[in-house]
Amino acid sequence: MELTEGRFNSTAVGREVEYRVLHPADLEAGEDVPLVLHLHGAMSSSASLDLARPLYEELARRDRFPRAVIACPSTPTAGGFYLNWPGGESWETLISKEFPEHLAASHHGPFTANALIGVSMGGYGALLAAFAEPERFAAVAAISPAIFPGETPQTVAEVNTPSVLGDLHRSMSYGTGDAGTYAENSVYARARRNAARIRGAALPVLVDCGAEDEFRLHEGAGYLGEVLTELRIGHELRLVQGAGHIGPEAEVRTRNAIEFVGDALTPRGAESAANRRSCP
């Protein structure tokens, strides 16, 4: 596979955005392929796609991942978090609409389907975008997503908001602490508001988290599993025993998440998703 770097001037965020794209080296113009948005975690950049590249290549060689364009835009942590900031930079709009449109025009689009894979902060961004417009995505896989075991600013314990997670927690209400504003950027609130649409789209959802995550993100992942079960939204929740936020299991879990999305993008996987209407 071939990895290239690019930049484009974004209207959504009002500045130039750097990104990386991974695709088959022999990809032809006009070839029917899907787009996979690979969203990086906090304090990272599009360079995270370099690290994931061997996993995509391995699965492609084993016919466990289809020919596709995989792309990762660099998104800031502070002032970013994949959120649309009032009167400021709109990072959710960039990843869900503007960036795919740019790629379609510059990298062999239009694409046959769009899918999302996100890690940590990127897992939060992937779920946020997918639950907002489930019909637009063929699958979403969130690895150690940065989500909290509560649905309001007041119900999330301090122990769940250390360091940069505290910054995200405050940013979800744009620093106001307002519950209504917080809900607008809550994965749970979006799932509740759009439950019928998510079920109707039969969106394949994977939530994968280490059961011993150092930042207690497994508590948020487990809570999301409960909410999705309550809403009868089909999903797969994987709480990996002995695994933390990073470590030797992270590569295996990322490979499995990529394979999950790859299955959804194949004709057989798409047919299976079309028949999914309730929780496993």
Side-chain angles (χ1 to χ4, degrees):
M1 300 182 80
E2 180 179 327
L3 184 69
T4 59
E5 299 181 31
R7 294 177 178 272
F8 82 107
N9 290 314
S10 166
T11 301
V13 301
R15 59 167 147 142
E16 189 176 63
V17 175
E18 182 267 347
Y19 63 89
R20 282 172 169 78
V21 176
L22 180 66
H23 59 76
D26 60 348
L27 185 67
E28 298 180 359
E31 182 177 347
D32 289 338
V33 294
L35 169 66
V36 177
L37 295 171
H38 185 105
L39 306 184
H40 65 75
M43 316 304 290
S44 187
S45 70
S46 67
S48 66
L49 189 55
D50 298 49
L51 301 177
R53 177 182 182 177
L55 304 179
Y56 283 104
E57 291 182 324
E58 174 198 339
L59 290 169
R61 285 195 300 269
R62 292 170 45 206
D63 291 328
R64 296 301 300 160
F65 192 81
R67 291 171 64 82
V69 170
I70 305 116
C72 179
S74 288
T75 304
T77 302
F81 287 122
Y82 301 105
L83 295 173
N84 284 344
W85 293 81
E89 299 177 344
S90 298
W91 290 98
E92 183 184 352
T93 298
L94 181 140
I95 63 160
S96 64
K97 295 180 181 178
E98 187 182 39
F99 185 49
E101 289 171 359
H102 168 75
L103 293 171
S106 61
H107 288 79
H108 308 282
F111 300 107
T112 58
N114 292 338
L116 293 154
I117 294 178
V119 181
S120 193
M121 179 183 87
Y124 163 72
L127 291 168
L128 202 64
F131 289 171
E133 297 185 272
E135 302 88 355
R136 294 189 59 241
F137 298 101
V140 57
I143 308 163
S144 302
I147 54 178
F148 308 105
E151 300 187 42
T152 68
Q154 296 75 27
T155 54
V156 177
E158 185 175 350
V159 70
N160 294 107
T161 58
S163 186
V164 71
L165 287 174
D167 295 336
L168 170 60
H169 181 55
R170 288 184 291 275
S171 294
M172 287 172 64
S173 65
Y174 308 122
T176 67
D178 177 71
T181 304
Y182 187 91
E184 287 299 312
N185 294 312
S186 166
V187 167
Y188 311 116
R190 292 198 181 185
R192 292 187 185 283
R193 183 170 63 244
N194 296 323
R197 291 173 59 192
I198 298 169
R199 290 194 299 267
L203 175 70
V205 179
L206 170 66
V207 180
D208 176 294
C209 194
E212 280 79 44
D213 190 282
E214 301 92 313
F215 304 106
R216 306 177 75 98
L217 294 178
H218 55 284
E219 296 180 7
Y223 187 86
L224 177 59
E226 293 175 4
V227 170
L228 296 180
T229 298
E230 173 194 340
L231 298 174
R232 296 182 294 109
I233 293 174
H235 65 283
E236 185 171 342
L237 173 64
R238 300 173 183 171
L239 294 178
V240 183
Q241 297 302 312
H245 197 65
I246 57 176
E249 301 88 357
E251 181 175 303
V252 174
R253 292 165 50 212
T254 302
R255 180 189 293 108
N256 291 342
I258 294 172
E259 189 170 4
F260 175 89
V261 169
D263 285 345
L265 291 172
T266 62
R268 183 173 60 183
E271 181 180 354
S272 175
N275 292 325
R276 188 184 292 113
R277 289 295 183 269
S278 61
C279 297

